[in-house]
Amino acid sequence: MEPGFLQRHYTVERKSDLDIIYGYARVSSAEQNERRQLIALSGVGVPPQNIFVDKQSGKDFDRPQYKKLLAKLQAGDLLYIQSIDRLGRDYAEIQEQWRVITKDKGVDIAVIDMPLLNTKNGKDLLGTFIADLVLQILSFVAQTERENIRSRQAQGIAAAKSKGVRFGRPRRDLPDCFADACRAWRAGRLTGVQAAKLCGLPLSTFRDRAKKFTDE
């Protein structure tokens, strides 16, 4: 074998230091801004080309960029996330994704907002125990807070409705001819299309309001 062959071969195949550091960011809707997460990831040295971002709800966890990231990760890589709830929508999912990344793929995870959650540090038994304990606590807290937010939203909506606040599209004012058009439609003198056109309303809107006309 030619001298130095293995060394040259290893150098070609080995990833560069930049290639082994990745970052993942997620926002729960297209309206939210991921800038804060991107700044945090850049601040710990993740190169822009290695940052994967999903802009959609975690409801079904069908996140295309997250899947691409998982396919790219290799044993020995390091993945940064800003907070633990970026990994999943609830306690069980956070735990499962953590297991897949750290155990199945052999990749380290570092949570920027919680330095104790860095599997690259403290590989001994005590360090692993502390990281696992902190992970369980934080993922439980993340799920509890999410449930509390939903509960407060539901309570706020219920309170607003009790005060007469209406949600959704505002109801269109009915034209003066609506009553006559409605009676003619019910009597068969006008078709639904004709009555709706007379009132300047979409057919579906006319039929919906006509059904409730006696109650108004």
Side-chain angles (χ1 to χ4, degrees):
M1 181 180 295
E2 180 185 354
F5 172 81
L6 290 178
Q7 182 177 359
R8 289 198 301 273
H9 179 71
Y10 176 77
T11 302
V12 171
E13 294 298 327
R14 183 182 178 275
K15 290 183 174 183
S16 69
D17 291 339
L18 288 181
D19 288 337
I20 65 173
I21 303 176
Y22 295 91
Y24 178 69
R26 177 176 65 83
V27 290
S28 58
S29 68
E31 289 75 25
Q32 291 183 334
N33 195 320
E34 73 279 12
R35 180 173 174 77
R36 191 170 73 92
Q37 295 179 61
L38 296 182
I39 291 175
L41 293 172
S42 297
V44 294
V46 182
Q49 68 271 20
N50 286 358
I51 297 177
F52 294 74
V53 182
D54 275 311
K55 287 188 176 184
Q56 64 184 78
S57 171
K59 182 179 179 181
D60 55 7
F61 216 64
D62 182 23
R63 301 177 294 174
Q65 291 302 308
Y66 183 75
K67 290 181 177 179
K68 288 182 181 179
L69 171 64
L70 285 182
K72 195 173 184 65
L73 290 173
Q74 298 180 21
D77 291 347
L78 173 61
L79 171 64
Y80 279 99
I81 53 176
Q82 184 179 26
S83 57
I84 192 63
D85 59 353
R86 298 305 87 193
L87 280 184
R89 55 189 174 179
D90 55 34
Y91 177 87
E93 198 133 42
I94 292 172
Q95 296 281 332
E96 173 62 14
Q97 296 306 314
W98 186 278
R99 183 195 64 76
V100 169
I101 294 172
T102 61
K103 308 300 183 185
D104 294 354
K105 300 190 74 69
V107 173
D108 285 306
I109 300 180
V111 181
I112 299 172
D113 287 351
M114 180 54 62
L116 280 175
L117 278 178
N118 185 339
T119 62
K120 204 169 186 65
N121 300 327
K123 295 273 189 183
D124 58 7
L125 184 60
L126 179 59
T128 301
F129 171 76
I130 293 175
D132 287 345
L133 182 61
V134 173
L135 170 64
Q136 291 190 41
I137 293 173
L138 289 183
S139 53
F140 173 77
V141 170
Q143 177 175 337
T144 302
E145 177 60 19
R146 188 176 295 106
E147 292 173 353
N148 287 340
I149 291 173
R150 290 174 181 168
S151 177
R152 290 194 293 268
Q153 288 175 338
Q155 292 172 1
I157 292 173
K161 286 183 176 179
S162 69
K163 295 179 181 179
V165 177
R166 301 181 68 92
F167 293 87
R169 293 183 180 179
R171 292 171 67 88
R172 296 181 60 172
D173 293 333
L174 296 177
D176 295 336
C177 64
F178 180 80
D180 291 337
C182 183
R183 296 189 187 98
W185 172 67
R186 288 177 175 171
R189 296 193 298 273
L190 290 176
T191 66
V193 173
Q194 291 171 332
K197 186 175 182 180
L198 180 65
C199 296
L201 297 171
L203 179 58
S204 59
T205 301
F206 171 79
R207 287 177 173 170
D208 179 65
R209 301 299 292 274
K211 292 176 183 177
K212 305 172 183 177
F213 175 66
T214 55
D215 299 326
E216 296 183 350

